[in-house]
Structures are given as C-alpha cells and as structure tokens.
Amino acid sequence: LFYSRDPGGTNCIIPVYQRLREVYDVEAVLWGKDFAILKYKEERLTYRDIVDLKWEEIFKLLQELHPKVLVTGTSYGNSTEQQLWRWAKEFGTYSIAIVDQWLNYRVRFSDENGRLVLPDKILVMDEFAKREMIAEGFDQRQILVTGQPHFEALQKKARKITELDKKKIRKDFNLQGGITILFVSEPLADAPHVNLGFTEHTILCELILAIQQVKLSVVVNLLVKLHPKQKQEKVRRFIWSLPTIKNIRLSLITDFPVLPLILVADIVIGMQSTVLIEANLLKKPVISLQIGRKSPDQFILSKRGIIEAVTTSDALEEELQRFFSRSGKRPQQTLPVVPHPVENIKRFIISVLGQQ
C-alpha cells in the first residue's frame, strides 16, 4: 500500500509505485489525498482518495486490505502518515517512509506533542541526510540510504522534452525575447511554527526591486511558480500592492508543470525549495534567496557547498548583474546523488516481502 499527501512525498512515491506495478506477483495499491490527487491525475494513475473518510472507515479498509508493506511520504501539518504507521505497527504491517528533502527531519516524525512517531524504516537521499538524522537523535538502524526517486524520474522526463516542446512553451508564455527568470515560491507566510526571517512575499519583493535596479537593455520575463498550497488570488493582491513594476513581464503560474518551466528558464531563483535542487541537477543556474535569515542556512545546496545563499539586497543585485553580464554561463557544481534510487527502493521492498 502506497500513501502520500504533500507534493514532495508524492513525487517520491509515484515512481516507486509505478515500478512495483511492473513486478508480476506484487499488487500495488495507491491511496492519497489533498495535493497528491492532483499529481495522481496528472500521471493518470489508479488511486483511492481518502480525504473524506473518517478514521474508522480508513481502519476498516486497512483491515480488509491488510497490506504486507506500507510505503508513505512525510507531510507537514497532517498526521495521516503517523496514524498509518501506528496502525501498521499494531497489525504487523512493515512500514516505510521516504524522506524527500534535507530539512525538518524531526518535524516530519513528531506528533502534536513533540513525541517521535516512527515507521519501521526511513529511506533517505544520501549519507549526508543519514548523518544529519543521527545527529538529531534518530536510530541509525532505522535509516537506509536509497537515493531520492523523484530526481531519477525528473531526469528521465527532462530527456523526453524536445527543443520543439520548449519552443512551444516559450511561445505560449510569450517568452520570445529577453531574459527568463523562474521564481519558485513556497508557502512560508502561512506555515505554522516557521519563522525564518523571510517569507515568499518579502523575497519576491526583494527580487523585483533588484531586477529593476540592475540596468538591462532587455525585458525580464519573471515566471512566478506558486506552490500547490498557495492561493493565487492572495499572491496577486500582494503583487498589486507593490510599486509600479517596470521592464518586467510577470506571470503567476499555478497549474502548469514545473519541469518545462525549469528547462525554458535562463535561471531559477527561490528560497529552499526542492525545485532549486531539481534545477541544479538539470544544470540550470540557481540562486537561493534568504534575505533576512535569522538562523543557520539549512538548504542542502548551501550545506554541501554547491552554492552560497544570498542574504542581502546588495549581494542579490551583484549576483544578478554578474549573471546577466555573463549571459547565464556561470559554472556551477551539481549536487551528487545516489544512483538508481527507484530500483534500490524496489529491491528493498521485495526483500521485506520475501522475509514476510
């Protein structure tokens, strides 16, 4: 049984679910709710939406299905995964959680009282993540390094997008001239218990002001890709409240997939989004904007020395000027990743099934 809710966890679950469906003697069942359902529909998957079910109904379905293995993502602000892990422990189902980012490890596995609620095994992106989790008090015996399955799926999809596809996207978004910046937003302003010293609003404002300060002879196409949890109308009202925006063609994007946008952008800018990591792996220049940051930088590309986060307005202007003057050809390392994560996870699940 596969279950996910948040975008990051859903992106990890889908390629593993698809691979398991290819195994002739394994029945893979997919559940989800909220943001996962949009991705399931996009991938044309067969699934069950459990958003309207009460816990008594969910537990009854679990008893009827009685899966040998439960595979989930990890979510913020929702306890469904933790309830499923608890059920699995009580009824003898082996539970697995796939971590999708190098952030907030304990938050992912803590209940409303701060107590850890754990599956039988936690699958992580690399040894770096494993060391960080052990330093935060997790038992190393519960952690297995498999790689991040979404990154593998992403690169396969990217290879299928042709130059003709990119040309059509540029035409559809009116990106025929100038420089294209993809800004990847995150729902920080409304996130509970999160105070980084900046939000998606303050950072977007800083970016717009900096672009206008840099003297350019061409127009800037600023594509603002909203997170699935963000409300377009709220962001639109915020942008309307800003001073007059000159030399920028700004587009708010909600329902369009992010991968093609990465590929047509000249540079990808955000805060700590996984999309920045995706862009880096696809060899696009990226900037992590953290102006106003109050605490140590937790973004993996910074922690691994791939990039240095921009933390002041002056530094942002300098970075943009440097990028524009070099026509986007800044050399940038890419994050090292564990190869074949989908196959690694499939083999682990098969081995668990064999032991049962």
Side-chain angles (χ1 to χ4, degrees):
L1 173 62
F2 289 82
Y3 168 82
S4 68
R5 174 184 178 263
D6 278 5
T10 301
N11 284 334
C12 286
I13 287 293
I14 286 175
V16 180
Y17 165 75
Q18 290 172 321
R19 183 69 62 87
L20 260 292
R21 287 191 66 195
E22 298 171 359
V23 179
Y24 77 95
D25 57 348
V26 173
E27 180 186 0
V29 178
L30 183 63
W31 287 5
K33 67 179 182 180
D34 299 339
F35 313 103
I37 302 305
L38 299 175
K39 288 295 295 184
Y40 294 168
K41 288 179 178 177
E42 185 181 308
E43 296 288 336
R44 299 181 179 179
L45 302 175
T46 301
Y47 63 89
R48 177 155 198 159
D49 187 348
I50 63 169
V51 70
D52 293 324
L53 298 182
K54 298 177 181 178
W55 274 111
E56 297 78 20
E57 297 171 302
I58 293 173
F59 291 149
K60 184 179 179 182
L61 287 174
L62 287 168
Q63 296 285 22
E64 293 172 357
L65 187 63
H66 204 88
K68 290 188 175 181
V69 177
L70 167 69
V71 185
T72 76
T74 56
S75 296
Y76 298 115
N78 188 274
S79 63
T80 304
E81 282 102 345
Q82 295 178 12
Q83 295 280 20
L84 291 173
W85 302 334
R86 285 182 171 124
W87 177 90
K89 193 174 294 292
E90 183 177 351
F91 289 94
T93 291
Y94 192 93
S95 57
I96 299 168
I98 305 176
V99 177
D100 60 277
Q101 247 277 39
W102 292 260
L103 286 170
N104 302 318
Y105 303 114
R106 290 192 72 89
V107 173
R108 297 170 189 269
F109 297 98
S110 296
D111 64 15
E112 62 276 7
N113 297 313
R115 293 188 296 260
L116 284 180
V117 181
L118 298 171
D120 291 304
K121 191 70 75 173
I122 302 170
L123 309 187
V124 298
M125 300 73 65
D126 56 13
E127 290 290 344
F128 190 90
K130 182 177 180 179
R131 289 195 298 272
E132 287 194 314
M133 291 188 72
I134 292 170
E136 290 190 17
F138 288 84
D139 187 339
Q140 64 177 337
R141 293 170 297 181
Q142 284 189 287
I143 304 170
L144 178 66
V145 174
T146 58
Q148 219 276 26
H150 171 57
F151 294 159
E152 179 182 349
L154 177 89
Q155 290 174 315
K156 285 183 178 179
K157 287 180 180 179
R159 288 193 287 268
K160 294 178 181 178
I161 297 177
T162 66
E163 288 302 319
L164 195 62
D165 295 328
K166 296 176 194 176
K167 186 175 181 180
K168 183 179 184 307
I169 293 164
R170 292 189 183 99
K171 183 178 179 181
D172 290 344
F173 284 96
N174 192 25
L175 309 177
Q176 301 305 302
I179 294 169
T180 299
I181 296 175
L182 174 61
F183 176 74
V184 186
S185 191
E186 297 178 68
L188 299 180
D190 297 325
H193 314 301
V194 174
N195 183 11
L196 300 174
F198 57 85
T199 70
E200 66 274 26
H201 299 144
T202 64
I203 294 298
L204 180 56
C205 184
E206 291 277 4
L207 176 59
I208 290 171
L209 291 173
I211 292 171
Q212 293 181 115
Q213 288 297 320
V214 177
K215 306 303 181 185
L216 293 173
S217 58
V218 295
V219 71
V220 171
N221 303 298
L222 179 58
L223 306 179
V224 179
K225 179 67 172 77
L226 301 186
H227 189 278
K229 291 183 179 180
Q230 287 183 274
K231 299 274 192 293
Q232 184 177 21
E233 192 53 42
K234 185 174 182 179
V235 180
R236 194 184 301 279
R237 285 199 303 269
F238 168 74
I239 291 172
W240 284 343
S241 71
L242 298 175
T244 304
I245 299 173
K246 299 177 181 178
N247 299 323
I248 299 175
R249 283 199 296 249
L250 192 149
S251 302
L252 284 183
I253 303 172
T254 52
D255 298 329
F256 198 82
V258 73
L259 174 57
L261 298 177
I262 294 173
L263 296 178
V264 300
D266 295 302
I267 186 169
V268 181
I269 299 177
M271 292 159 282
Q272 299 179 340
S273 170
T274 305
V275 178
L276 293 181
I277 305 171
E278 297 170 9
N280 171 261
L281 293 173
L282 295 171
K283 304 193 184 319
K284 286 286 180 177
V286 302
I287 295 176
S288 170
L289 279 186
Q290 301 182 34
I291 297 171
R293 190 182 73 207
K294 291 182 175 179
S295 53
D297 190 353
Q298 295 301 309
F299 188 44
I300 185 61
L301 293 183
S302 305
K303 289 191 287 188
R304 295 296 300 271
I306 306 297
I307 64 172
E308 185 176 345
V310 173
T311 57
T312 68
S313 303
D314 289 344
L316 173 57
E317 288 182 30
E318 291 173 11
E319 192 75 9
L320 290 176
Q321 188 67 62
R322 192 179 301 118
F323 171 79
F324 293 143
S325 64
R326 296 186 184 183
S327 303
K329 294 182 179 178
R330 291 182 64 231
Q332 200 168 74
Q333 292 178 289
T334 55
L335 181 71
V337 295
V338 174
H340 314 300
V342 178
E343 183 65 19
N344 295 341
I345 296 173
K346 186 203 84 171
R347 289 182 177 180
F348 176 67
I349 293 172
I350 295 298
S351 72
V352 171
L353 288 170
Q355 290 169 15
Q356 293 190 337

